[in-house]
Amino acid sequence: MYTRFDRRNLYVTYDVTSNIMQGKNAIGVILGNGWYNHQAMAVWNFDKAPWRARPAFCLDLRITYTDGTIETITSGSTWKTSLGPIISNNIYTAEHYDARLEQKGWNKADFDDTKWHGIKLRAAPSKNIVAQNMHPIRNVEKIKAKSLRKFNDTVYLYDLGRNIAGVSKIKVSGKKGTIIKLKHAERLSANGRADLSNIDVYYRPKDDTDPFQTDIFILNGNGEEEFMPLFNYKGFQYIEITSSEPIKLEKKSLVSYFMHSDVPAIGKIASSNPLIDKIWWATNNSYLSNLFGLPTDCPQREKNGWTGDGHFAIETGLYNFDALTVYEKWLGDHRDEQQPNGVLPDIIPTSGWGYGTANGTDWTSTIAIIPWNIYMFYGDPKALADNYKHIKQYVDYVNSISKDGLTTFGRGDWVPVKSTSNLEYTSSIYFYVDADILAKTAKLFDKQNDYLIYSALANKIKKAINSKYFDAERVSYGSGIQTELSMALQWNIVADQYRLKLAENLAKRVAADGMHIDVGVLGAKAVLNALSDNGQAETAYKLAAQDTYPGWGWWIANGATTLHENWDMQATRDISDNHMMFGEIGGWFFKGIGGIKIDEQQPGFKNILLQPHFVEGLTHFTASHESPYGTILSSWKRNAKGVKYEVKIPANSSASVTIPEIAGKKAYLNGKVVNNWLNMPAGRYVFEIR
């Protein structure tokens, strides 16, 4: 997996027993550039990365014989090397493969390697070489083309019918030397051809020899040939095939593979509204499209580990997938990248780009928010322990540049619909979140002095925010827009006495905005939770279920199968069609409708908070999550008498159940009236609200 190569390198172990044969054996290795030897020029400067060098490797083949003896065969000075048919490969552009250069049987024991060359030995990129302990990236799902359009004998266009991250495999016959180009795009131009203009905007090629997201395959002319790249992936829905000579392609000539870190799915929702189910499915598609050993922003234009995108989507990730190992690895990247003064870059890992003036709290709070969420979901404080001093360094740095508890260190509410939030207000809230997490972690680890220091700092920040931005008379924050109101609720800035009134005012603001969202990324993280957690679940659902502009459903109504980077589908910038930064909604479904929530006092779902909302517009809703203790189920369905609510609490867990009150109806369990608030041991229960 991609790391900051000059500070940490990962190794992988494979069981190759089934590959070993009696008699002579050979080991063949193909090396690609990956992120290590990034040659394409882009604004992120990976071509100038301090670790850059030609690809290299080392291995041990450890053999245990039947008599118990062990032999280790190592790579070293006796190995030989040769160039092969992969003549170019790049993580942004693609792979160039000249089948005329293939050496048949090159990795077999009887291959004649007399024309091959010797190798050079060199030091490892870093001295920190550790095992890769995470779910691998795989070609998880094979996707056949939904349609094929033939323009002429040299131009074809495949449509997968959905947007994915991954690669394509083609089978084709043609004359020797025929050059075939496979251009991967998210959009089509007016003439029906592949259009890369929304995603190639940061690529800075010196010429046209290495086009963006375009594999180049040169035929050897020996019958049907097959090509699938090994050393890159793309984000795409369409594959345009162009050839230098006429070729014949059929629909079955090409298949694509959805590629991502192969994390197990552990969460599921199902509802009576197909739009809700499609939004959830599209959110998961975007999440997986952006999971490649780290959470990324988009699988085509950048492939960068943008910190903000990572923590905006952390709950969506952990409700739906067992992605713990990916986040543990990424937190290691954070530790590798943190400067001695505590500063983190916007993108992690980085070539050195991103230590600017806007890499502030709203983005780089990953260092605190992600370990805290891992603790909340798994009940395991290890991530907090591993990163404690790094969180502390970070908070201390922000404090050192802040005046009276307030900071403007941040990017702000990125890509809003129309309103603009106050940068000091939003950045200071995340400063509070970090200080609060640090204080709670210090208490967890019995670091009493730190607890006193950072709980005092958190209180100072909260007081400063409320003093400057809270209007007690109107019960409003800042200019009263959705992001500003919802962030105060989401992150516990507002005093309890004003909480419900503020949520009511947020609901009124949403209504004044035509019952549509008016938020950027910070508001998208907060607005649904702020409403549903504070008595306004009906408004939250209406926002989530809108199928007109702007909203998640608007994308789906216009054919999207992934989340977009911009609410405005006709925008001229920030227009990737597969982005995760608006992805909190995928976690909100579990919390805001299904009501499966974490009890901070007993994390890891040791005690589950079950607080469903029987919202108008749905006749049934089911959410399930595989917690560390087993399956949690929260499922409700309307009937003629009222609502049937079914819950499953796994063994060794308990639950605090809050059943919504419905006027004129009571809650029953096993035929007996029960309170709407009750504590339940493990088991399966069916409540009747009638």
Side-chain angles (χ1 to χ4, degrees):
M1 297 293 185
Y2 170 35
T3 57
R4 174 68 195 252
F5 296 106
D6 54 350
R7 293 176 185 167
R8 186 164 53 117
N9 305 112
L10 305 180
Y11 70 86
V12 185
T13 303
Y14 299 96
D15 181 355
V16 297
T17 306
S18 62
N19 299 79
I20 303 297
M21 297 181 292
Q22 286 289 343
K24 291 183 177 181
N25 285 271
I27 304 170
V29 177
I30 306 173
L31 296 182
N33 290 315
W35 287 96
Y36 179 60
N37 187 35
H38 203 301
Q39 293 163 311
M41 291 178 286
V43 297
W44 322 108
N45 301 330
F46 287 107
D47 59 307
K48 300 181 181 71
W51 59 73
R52 251 199 77 187
R54 288 182 66 82
F57 86 103
C58 62
L59 69 77
D60 289 343
L61 178 67
R62 190 171 183 269
I63 304 171
T64 304
Y65 292 98
T66 51
D67 64 1
T69 59
I70 294 173
E71 181 182 7
T72 301
I73 296 168
T74 64
S75 54
S77 58
T78 59
W79 281 58
K80 301 183 87 173
T81 184
S82 171
L83 294 175
I86 302 174
I87 54 178
S88 174
N89 65 92
N90 183 272
I91 207 79
Y92 280 167
T93 54
E95 198 158 295
H96 302 181
Y97 187 96
D98 189 342
R100 297 170 301 181
L101 302 177
E102 290 176 344
Q103 301 181 47
K104 297 296 183 185
W106 69 272
N107 55 355
K108 305 297 182 185
D110 57 356
F111 178 73
D112 180 4
D113 63 4
T114 54
K115 293 182 180 179
W116 282 36
H117 308 290
I119 57 93
K120 293 180 181 178
L121 296 174
R122 69 167 187 254
S126 81
K127 294 182 179 179
N128 184 22
I129 301 172
V130 294
Q132 176 172 300
N133 182 25
M134 61 192 303
H135 293 289
I137 296 168
R138 290 191 174 105
N139 287 334
V140 177
E141 184 181 354
K142 181 179 179 180
I143 300 172
K144 296 178 181 179
K146 190 176 180 182
S147 66
L148 169 62
R149 180 180 178 185
K150 180 180 179 180
F151 288 87
N152 54 53
D153 286 342
T154 60
V155 181
Y156 296 80
L157 186 103
Y158 288 88
D159 179 1
L160 300 181
R162 59 183 283 203
N163 198 335
I164 66 166
V167 293
S168 300
K169 179 168 73 175
I170 190 170
K171 292 182 179 180
V172 60
S173 301
K175 289 168 53 178
K176 183 176 182 178
T178 299
I179 300 170
I180 296 174
K181 295 183 178 180
L182 295 83
K183 181 190 292 187
H184 295 74
E186 289 190 319
R187 297 184 177 187
L188 299 179
S189 57
N191 63 3
R193 300 283 295 269
D195 177 13
L196 292 172
S197 63
N198 70 313
I199 52 174
D200 66 358
V201 292
Y202 294 129
Y203 178 40
R204 303 287 184 266
K206 63 180 186 294
D207 55 40
D208 60 0
T209 58
D210 194 14
F212 191 72
Q213 287 212 150
T214 304
D215 291 312
I216 298 177
F217 179 34
I218 304 174
L219 302 184
N220 63 24
N222 296 327
E224 185 176 74
E225 303 176 50
E226 183 176 288
F227 166 74
M228 185 173 78
L230 298 177
F231 296 113
N232 67 77
Y233 70 97
K234 302 98 171 167
F236 63 102
Q237 176 172 336
Y238 306 99
I239 309 98
E240 180 181 289
I241 312 295
T242 57
S243 60
S244 61
E245 299 286 341
I247 55 172
K248 184 179 180 181
L249 294 176
E250 300 174 340
K251 194 175 174 182
K252 65 180 181 180
S253 301
L254 182 138
V255 294
S256 295
Y257 291 88
F258 189 10
M259 180 194 294
H260 53 78
S261 290
D262 194 11
V263 290
I266 59 171
K268 188 171 185 181
I269 71 139
S271 80
S272 58
N273 184 346
L275 181 63
I276 292 295
D277 293 9
K278 287 177 181 178
I279 293 171
W280 173 73
W281 184 78
T283 303
N284 283 351
N285 276 339
S286 276
Y287 180 78
L288 293 173
S289 295
N290 282 292
L291 207 66
F292 278 78
L294 70 156
T296 66
D297 62 326
C298 54
Q300 9 66 3
R301 189 184 70 202
E302 302 179 40
K303 300 180 169 75
N304 279 324
W306 276 96
T307 46
D309 305 52
H311 75 75
F312 302 148
I314 180 66
E315 291 178 82
T316 289
L318 296 182
Y319 269 111
N320 286 286
F321 301 99
D322 183 11
L324 171 64
T325 56
V326 175
Y327 288 110
E328 287 179 326
K329 179 265 179 191
W330 196 39
L331 287 168
D333 298 329
H334 279 63
R335 297 191 294 273
D336 291 343
E337 295 288 10
Q338 190 173 34
Q339 297 298 292
N341 64 355
V343 171
L344 290 159
D346 281 319
I347 59 171
I348 295 176
T350 180
S351 64
W353 185 94
Y355 293 101
T357 56
N359 53 317
T361 59
D362 46 8
W363 255 247
T364 48
S365 287
T366 38
I367 192 65
I369 289 174
I370 287 182
W372 183 256
N373 273 276
I374 289 172
Y375 175 52
M376 288 293 101
F377 275 85
Y378 290 91
D380 183 355
K382 185 179 186 299
L384 287 169
D386 289 347
N387 296 283
Y388 182 80
K389 71 175 185 179
H390 302 275
I391 303 169
K392 190 173 170 181
Q393 281 180 301
Y394 180 72
V395 170
D396 286 347
Y397 172 76
V398 179
N399 194 35
S400 73
I401 62 167
S402 302
K403 185 178 180 182
D404 302 324
L406 299 174
T407 182
T408 57
F409 187 37
R411 288 191 171 273
D413 197 23
W414 199 248
V415 196
V417 177
K418 58 180 185 293
S419 64
T420 303
S421 301
N422 183 284
L423 178 62
E424 183 182 69
Y425 172 75
T426 58
S427 298
S428 298
I429 286 180
Y430 275 98
F431 181 26
Y432 165 76
V433 171
D434 298 336
D436 184 52
I437 288 172
L438 182 53
K440 289 187 288 193
T441 304
K443 187 176 184 180
L444 179 69
F445 295 149
D446 201 24
K447 297 178 182 287
Q448 184 64 16
N449 194 48
D450 280 359
Y451 170 67
L452 293 173
I453 291 169
Y454 293 106
S455 57
L457 175 61
N459 288 332
K460 175 186 174 182
I461 299 165
K462 182 189 282 192
K463 186 176 180 181
I465 293 169
N466 281 315
S467 176
K468 186 168 182 178
Y469 292 102
F470 180 57
D471 183 333
E473 188 177 331
R474 292 191 300 122
V475 189
S476 183
Y477 280 84
S479 57
I481 58 177
Q482 289 183 32
T483 291
E484 291 172 337
L485 301 184
S486 60
M487 284 185 70
L489 289 160
Q490 164 86 0
W491 300 113
N492 295 313
I493 300 299
V494 65
D496 286 345
Q497 69 196 83
Y498 296 110
R499 177 170 285 277
L500 294 181
K501 182 62 178 175
L502 182 63
E504 186 182 320
N505 288 342
L506 172 59
K508 289 177 180 176
R509 177 68 199 220
V510 169
D513 290 327
M515 202 54 73
H516 283 77
I517 49 163
D518 179 19
V519 295
V521 293
L522 307 184
K525 174 69 181 176
V527 67
L528 298 176
N529 299 307
L531 290 162
S532 61
D533 287 348
N534 298 287
Q536 303 294 333
E538 294 293 342
T539 297
Y541 174 71
K542 287 174 184 174
L543 278 185
Q546 282 287 8
D547 63 358
T548 53
Y549 174 82
W552 298 270
W554 171 241
W555 295 330
I556 304 301
N558 281 274
T561 57
T562 46
L563 303 188
H564 286 200
E565 187 187 11
N566 204 309
W567 302 115
D568 181 1
M569 300 179 80
Q570 305 302 319
T572 56
R573 57 161 291 165
D574 303 316
I575 48 173
S576 151
D577 289 347
N578 196 345
H579 244 70
M580 199 52 207
M581 64 189 193
F582 292 119
E584 162 66 13
I585 191 171
W588 176 79
F589 290 132
F590 291 84
K591 297 178 286 181
I593 308 179
I596 299 175
K597 299 169 79 172
I598 291 164
D599 183 348
E600 190 174 307
Q601 303 309 311
Q602 297 187 62
F605 298 101
K606 180 64 177 172
N607 185 60
I608 307 150
L609 303 181
L610 291 175
Q611 302 171 353
H613 289 111
F614 309 149
V615 292
E616 293 296 327
L618 289 179
T619 56
H620 65 83
F621 188 90
T622 297
S624 63
H625 172 74
E626 294 290 329
S627 78
Y629 296 97
T631 303
I632 302 166
L633 175 74
S634 179
S635 178
W636 57 265
K637 186 174 184 177
R638 297 188 194 280
N639 54 40
K641 295 179 181 178
V643 177
K644 184 173 88 169
Y645 178 46
E646 184 178 354
V647 305
K648 183 181 177 184
I649 304 162
N652 300 309
S653 287
S654 58
S656 301
V657 183
T658 304
I659 299 171
E661 294 188 4
I662 303 175
K665 298 186 186 296
K666 294 181 179 179
Y668 293 81
L669 178 63
N670 300 326
K672 295 180 181 179
V673 176
V674 294
N675 290 329
N676 288 70
W677 303 272
L678 57 166
N679 295 313
M680 307 293 295
R684 198 166 194 134
Y685 306 94
V686 178
F687 297 92
E688 296 277 353
I689 300 91
R690 49 186 166 84

